[in-house]
Structure formats: structure tokens, C-alpha cells
Amino acid sequence: MSTFVRLLKDESGATAIEYGLIAAGISVAIIAVVQGMGSKLKTTFTSVQNALN
């Protein structure tokens, strides 16, 4: 029973998990921004191409 209690109190991996979750959240935000900018850039380049033709 004491091994189980000691296991529940052990927080040595918690920091690594938290950093992993933060990194995953930042990655999702970056992907969303890049996708949004990508569609705007495509529209801009298309209008420039049409203006040059």
C-alpha cells in the first residue's frame, strides 16, 4: 500500500507533460495562423496575376 501512495505523490513527470501540452497548443495555434495567411496570400497572388495578364 505504501508503494501505491508513493506513486500517487510522485510528480516527477508532471512538468514534462505540461511542457508537452504547451508545445502542442502552440503548434496548433501556429498551424491555424499559417493556414489563414495561406488563403489570404493565395487570393493576393491570384489578383496580382490577373492584373498582370
Side-chain angles (χ1 to χ4, degrees):
M1 186 67 175
S2 66
T3 305
F4 182 69
V5 172
R6 197 171 61 225
L7 181 65
L8 287 177
K9 290 184 179 181
D10 185 18
E11 295 182 5
S12 61
T15 303
I17 292 172
E18 290 169 356
Y19 283 134
L21 290 173
I22 290 169
I26 291 171
S27 298
V28 168
I30 289 172
I31 290 169
V33 168
V34 168
Q35 284 182 342
M37 285 177 43
S39 63
K40 285 185 177 184
L41 282 175
K42 182 176 180 179
T43 303
T44 302
F45 284 130
T46 302
S47 65
V48 169
Q49 180 182 11
N50 290 337
L52 292 174
N53 289 333

